[in-house]
Amino acid sequence: METFKVPVGISNRHIHLSHDHIEALFGEGYSLTKMKDLSQPGQFASEETVTLIGPKGAIAGVRVLGPARKASQVELTATDTFKLGVKPPVRDSGKIEETPGIDVEGPKGRIHMNKGVIIAARHLHMSPQDAEKYKLDDGQYIRAIVPGSRGGILDQVLVRVSPDYALDLHVDTDEGNAFSLVNGQLLEVCLP
Amino acid sequence: METFKVPVGISNRHIHLSHDHIEALFGEGYSLTKMKDLSQPGQFASEETVTLIGPKGAIAGVRVLGPARKASQVELTATDTFKLGVKPPVRDSGKIEETPGIDVEGPKGRIHMNKGVIIAARHLHMSPQDAEKYKLDDGQYIRAIVPGSRGGILDQVLVRVSPDYALDLHVDTDEGNAFSLVNGQLLEVCLP
């Protein structure tokens, strides 16, 4: 594989909610209001935010991403986990078995999620066309090379291939800050 | 150079204060009270904390490190800078020319630092004996290899050699969190 460049997307803490949880937090029959589109087709940041309440503290203004998902999932940075007092594992999105839960408060109610809190593992979204072009398969790992005074290499970047995906390397704000990354910056990636 | 292992020290935000600033914040004739020794000989975390006040927000409980220094210096994570609304550069400790200032509040007064806010650059402290052993010079750069599911390479780690230093690779909490590092963890380092 030759190296190629991909844009970086830096995710702040956020929450995905099931339809039931949206209703419990925002009211019966409620549906999310799109604020802006995200890099992945069909995904959007909503106008809605919630408060996360952990054993040690709370974080308000946590953005709800839409559309509704089958299962609610909270994606935190490691920095956030100290403030809240929760100890989630680093996980691929959707793999929420044996993850901690948390309390979530919205304007119309409060729920307890009994699982679903993760620190999202680095990953690279791509379409099947991109995967073919770059000779990569879903589930492979690549590494990304970061230039600059806080440069280095991000290893263990999971390749995720789907017709629903656009080329974007997702890290969280801890990773973005550690490497002085900016949204949309192009990073060279290669096989480990 | 062969690779060798060094312990990691993860620094949270903190402030070094000049004697004058200690008096302005804590009272005339005040001197810092040691809470615990740090890895570097003679350096300590004090019992004292201050509040940093930036254009966008404040952070309370910021630990003062002792002993007093010739010039005050605030070391923030990039995460902190967004909360405070300041834009410090990534700098080696002590290099505070053309850095932003900030307001600092203590129990007995408030000061405006007109410079001295930095995001500390990664660095490796070592004694002249260690430098000789590992064939490294002050001012060289090395890289550190991080294993695990959030692994990778931290590049641009500045080697700092002094008789006052003990072997310790200093990163900040953003970097520690991005790589799932824990204090005291041993990392392999090598030349870039």
Side-chain angles (χ1 to χ4, degrees), chain A residues 78-79 82-83 90 119-122 143 146 148-156 172-175 177-180, chain B residues 78-79 82-83 90 119-122 143 146 148-156 172-175 177-180:
Chain A
T79 300
F82 297 111
K83 181 161 187 187
V90 176
I119 298 171
R122 305 156 180 171
R143 56 199 332 200
V146 183
S149 67
R150 286 201 136 188
I153 290 172
L154 286 163
D155 218 337
Q156 303 289 328
D172 69 19
T173 52
D174 280 345
E175 294 169 308
N177 289 333
F179 281 101
S180 297
Chain B
T79 300
F82 297 111
K83 181 162 186 188
V90 175
I119 297 171
R122 306 157 180 171
R143 56 198 332 198
V146 183
S149 67
R150 285 201 137 188
I153 289 173
L154 286 164
D155 217 337
Q156 302 290 329
D172 70 18
T173 52
D174 280 344
E175 295 169 308
N177 289 333
F179 281 100
S180 297

Side-chain angles (χ1 to χ4, degrees), chain A residues 65-146:
Chain A
L65 302 193
R69 288 201 180 177
K70 211 170 66 181
S72 295
Q73 176 175 294
V74 175
E75 298 181 40
L76 299 176
T77 65
T79 300
D80 297 329
T81 65
F82 297 111
K83 181 161 187 187
L84 293 167
V86 291
K87 291 190 175 182
V90 176
R91 281 284 177 87
D92 300 326
S93 183
K95 298 196 174 169
I96 58 170
E97 311 78 26
E98 294 178 49
T99 56
I102 198 159
D103 283 1
V104 185
E105 195 169 71
K108 294 286 174 63
R110 181 167 166 161
I111 59 167
H112 174 70
M113 287 171 56
N114 54 21
K115 64 178 177 180
V117 181
I118 66 169
I119 298 171
R122 305 156 180 171
H123 55 278
L124 173 60
H125 290 280
M126 60 172 65
S127 66
Q129 292 74 23
D130 283 329
E132 194 180 338
K133 179 175 168 191
Y134 299 124
K135 298 183 175 57
L136 286 168
D137 289 314
D138 186 67
Q140 264 192 299
Y141 288 91
I142 51 99
R143 56 199 332 200
I145 301 163
V146 183

Side-chain angles (χ1 to χ4, degrees), chain B residues 1 19 26 54 56 66 74 97-98 101 104 127 166 186:
Chain B
M1 185 185 76
H19 180 70
F26 295 98
K56 273 198 185 168
V74 174
E97 311 79 26
E98 295 178 49
V104 185
S127 67
L186 293 175

Side-chain angles (χ1 to χ4, degrees), chain B residues 102-172:
Chain B
I102 198 161
D103 283 359
V104 185
E105 194 169 70
K108 294 285 173 62
R110 179 167 168 160
I111 59 168
H112 174 70
M113 287 171 55
N114 54 21
K115 63 178 177 181
V117 181
I118 66 169
I119 297 171
R122 306 157 180 171
H123 55 278
L124 173 60
H125 289 281
M126 59 171 63
S127 67
Q129 291 75 24
D130 283 330
E132 195 181 338
K133 180 176 168 191
Y134 299 124
K135 299 183 176 57
L136 286 169
D137 290 314
D138 186 67
Q140 264 191 299
Y141 288 91
I142 52 98
R143 56 198 332 198
I145 301 162
V146 183
S149 67
R150 285 201 137 188
I153 289 173
L154 286 164
D155 217 337
Q156 302 290 329
V157 181
L158 179 70
V159 175
R160 303 182 62 191
V161 180
S162 160
D164 298 333
Y165 291 160
L167 195 67
D168 212 22
L169 196 166
H170 283 189
V171 297
D172 70 18

